[in-house]
């Protein structure tokens, strides 16, 4: 097993740790959960760099790396929806984009084409992880309004998600024109 794949597996293993600490609710648990989330997020950037730099790109990594990213981000977003710091529609936009892009990639594979991750998708992932970190760190005291970290985070997450999704479909519209 390559180093890059080990980092992907570490990220997957950190997801239940992140959630367990986050939901434990003891004093300071939010900051410990933030630390776990940051470490898990950094493994995403590290495994991608290592895989490309040291020629460790594998089919396992191609499948599991983006899946691990999505599960980590969705876990945090579900928490924020549950606690009222993220409207459900933001999570729905992110889920719809992920399913739509994944579906488009499946159609492209049937045509012998590969749709690589674009820069807007990488910016979306990075900005989403940063926003989730900021939302964890700057949680407004209960009952206080407005929650600026949540408002800004939700706007950036929804905006980058919509932009990157639109870009993928515009740049790859030929995939559906050639579909059976």
């Amino acid at each position: 097993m390559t180093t890059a794949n080990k980092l992907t597996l570490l990220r997957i293993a950190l997801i239940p740790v992140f959630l367990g600490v986050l939901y434990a609710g003891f004093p300071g648990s939010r900051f410990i959960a933030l630390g776990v989330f940051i470490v898990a997020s950094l493994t995403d950037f590290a495994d991608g760099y290592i895989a490309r730099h040291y020629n460790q790109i594998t089919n396992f990594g191609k499948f599991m790396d983006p899946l691990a990213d999505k599960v980590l981000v969705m876990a945090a977003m579900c928490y924020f929806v549950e606690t009222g710091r993220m409207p459900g529609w933001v999570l729905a936009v992110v889920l719809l984009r992920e399913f739509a892009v994944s579906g488009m990639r499946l159609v492209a594979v049937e045509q012998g084409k590969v749709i690589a991750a674009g820069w807007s998708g990488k910016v979306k992932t990075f900005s989403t992880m940063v926003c989730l970190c900021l939302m964890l760190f700057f949680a407004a005291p209960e009952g206080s309004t407005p929650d600026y970290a949540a408002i800004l985070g939700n706007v950036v997450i929804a905006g980058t998600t919509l932009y990157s999704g639109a870009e993928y479909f515009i740049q790859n519209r030929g995939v559906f024109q050639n579909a059976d």
Side-chain angles (χ1 to χ4, degrees):
M1 177 154 299
T2 67
T3 302
N5 288 344
K6 289 176 185 175
L7 287 171
T8 298
L9 290 175
L10 174 61
R11 184 163 61 261
I12 292 167
L14 288 174
I15 295 167
V17 175
F18 163 70
L19 288 173
V21 172
L22 191 58
Y23 279 100
F26 57 83
S29 64
R30 181 170 50 96
F31 295 107
I32 295 170
L34 171 60
V36 173
F37 188 86
I38 289 170
V39 169
S41 296
L42 290 175
T43 66
D44 177 33
F45 302 107
D47 71 10
Y49 173 79
I50 289 168
R52 286 184 299 278
H53 189 74
Y54 295 103
N55 197 27
Q56 294 184 4
I57 296 171
T58 64
N59 287 333
F60 176 84
K62 288 179 192 176
F63 174 74
M64 289 304 295
D65 177 61
L67 181 62
D69 297 343
K70 288 168 184 47
V71 174
L72 175 65
V73 166
M74 296 301 166
M77 292 178 77
C78 286
Y79 171 80
F80 286 125
V81 168
E82 184 178 341
T83 59
R85 296 192 64 217
M86 178 177 282
W89 67 265
V90 173
L91 176 58
V93 164
V94 172
L95 284 169
L96 177 61
R97 184 253 184 222
E98 297 305 335
F99 284 128
V101 170
S102 294
M104 181 178 58
R105 284 187 167 130
L106 288 174
V107 172
V109 164
E110 290 294 320
Q111 298 172 7
K113 299 175 186 169
V114 174
I115 298 175
W119 275 107
S120 68
K122 293 177 186 298
V123 168
K124 176 211 48 107
T125 299
F126 177 78
S127 62
T128 297
M129 288 179 172
V130 168
C131 287
L132 294 172
C133 287
L134 292 173
M135 289 171 68
L136 279 167
F137 186 79
F138 291 111
E142 210 169 302
S144 70
T145 54
D147 184 348
Y148 293 111
I151 293 166
L152 178 63
N154 289 318
V155 167
V156 170
I157 290 167
T160 57
T161 298
L162 289 169
Y163 178 84
S164 70
E167 183 180 78
Y168 273 98
F169 277 89
I170 290 168
Q171 289 180 347
N172 298 289
R173 62 187 168 275
V175 167
F176 294 109
Q177 293 169 346
N178 300 327
D180 292 332

